[in-house]
Amino acid sequence: MHIWVDADACPRPVKDVLFRASKRTGVPCTLVANQFMGAPPHVQTVVVAQGSDVADRHIADHAAPGDIVITADIPLASDVVDKGCLAINPRGQTYTEE
C-alpha cells in the first residue's frame, strides 16, 4: 500500500493529516506536483514537468492495486479506480466506478 497525493490542488490541512497518518502507520506517502512542495523527511516528493495532467499521468502510471490516491481530479480518480486503487477526494469522499 502507498498513498499518492495529487498535491497541486490538495489543501495544506489535508496534507498535514496525511503526513501524520503516514508516519503513524508506516505507509509510504508521495506528493506529486509540478512545483516543489515542502514535506517532512518521511514523505517523498516528486516534481514533474509543467503541463496539463502531467502530475495526474505520473500518479496513474505509478499507482498499483491497493494504493490510496488523494485527488480532486475525476479523470485521474477514474483511471486509478480502474486499476484497483482507492481514490478519495480531499474532503474524504470516496470515488467509485459509478
Side-chain angles (χ1 to χ4, degrees):
M1 179 185 293
H2 194 107
I3 301 168
W4 295 94
V5 183
D6 184 3
D8 287 323
C10 188
R12 182 67 194 193
V14 173
K15 288 186 267 195
D16 289 340
V17 169
L18 293 168
F19 298 160
R20 289 192 305 274
S22 172
K23 186 170 187 171
R24 187 180 74 248
T25 63
V27 175
C29 181
T30 302
L31 301 180
V32 181
N34 59 20
Q35 61 184 338
F36 175 77
M37 297 273 170
H42 70 278
V43 174
Q44 180 182 11
T45 58
V46 175
V47 179
V48 297
Q50 296 288 327
S52 177
D53 300 328
V54 177
D56 297 349
R57 287 284 37 107
H58 181 88
I59 294 170
D61 290 346
H62 291 87
D67 286 354
I68 299 169
V69 176
I70 310 300
T71 184
D73 186 272
I74 293 172
L76 172 58
S78 177
D79 289 347
V80 298
V81 165
D82 288 347
K83 290 180 76 170
C85 300
L86 174 63
I88 304 171
N89 75 18
R91 292 186 181 106
Q93 298 167 316
T94 303
Y95 293 101
T96 65
E97 290 181 11
E98 292 82 38

